[in-house]
Amino acid sequence: MTSAAHTPLAGRATTGPEALVIDGRVDVDRAVLAPRGELVRGCADVLAVKLAELPSGVRRIELDMSGVEFMDTAGLAFLEHLGDHGVSHGIEVTAGNWSGQPRRILELVGLDTTDALRGPTPEPGPSTTSAVALERAERLRLLQEEVEQLRQAIASRPVIDQARGILMATQACTSDEAWTILREASQLSNTKLRVVAAAVTASTGTDGAPPPEEVRTALRRAIAHRGR
């Protein structure tokens, strides 16, 4: 049963490889929203739709970010849109309960992890500011590399899944066994896993070229090893 004082808000939109879901409720003049998923490209648009659905009487918006598992720089645009909404409508907005990788992003860019809309966290005294800035820059560089690796892993999923399916069909093996074959072939040939998977997939096409010799040899050895 729904009352005027407690109105559920439910919405789902897909942005990028994962779905960003923003659940929530309205208690009189206070909206509590709970995003779940990833803050990647398009997440600010999903937020804009959700904010537009809020009743006009809302005077405070609280975001519980504990359900956000991953964010890249698009997450900063998400926060910027939320902050702009608060300013333009003259209402209070907060975004807290950050954890995991998103919390690390906020720490590295200097935002308050208890409420990312408060702005930068206080810096140490002048004597240590330069050292902190250098350390933060290095940590941010490492985190950017980590984000790029995650992007590549996400992009590799389809071709790896296709290669596993091909091996399951041609070698009468299970999904786990196909994964083991691909991984072992990657190690034996010193070739990235996604490159091995792409070679397997391409070789099944009408005009597909066979995998490179070192990959073919590694695949034969990995398949033979499974049969022992």
Side-chain angles (χ1 to χ4, degrees), residues 2-21:
T2 302
S3 67
H6 182 82
T7 305
L9 296 171
R12 181 182 296 256
T14 300
T15 121
E18 299 293 338
L20 175 64
V21 182

Side-chain angles (χ1 to χ4, degrees), residues 105-166:
I105 290 282
L106 296 184
E107 290 173 343
L108 289 170
V109 298
L111 295 179
D112 190 334
T113 56
T114 61
D115 179 8
L117 297 177
R118 288 182 185 175
T121 53
E123 290 285 356
S127 61
T128 59
T129 298
S130 297
V132 170
L134 289 173
E135 180 183 359
R136 178 172 293 162
E138 175 62 14
R139 292 174 64 194
L140 182 57
R141 183 188 66 79
L142 294 174
L143 188 59
Q144 287 172 337
E145 291 180 358
E146 179 182 325
V147 169
E148 182 57 30
Q149 290 171 359
L150 288 172
R151 284 185 185 278
Q152 292 180 5
I154 291 171
S156 300
R157 285 179 191 167
V159 70
I160 291 175
D161 288 342
Q162 290 175 27
R164 289 170 74 176
I166 291 169

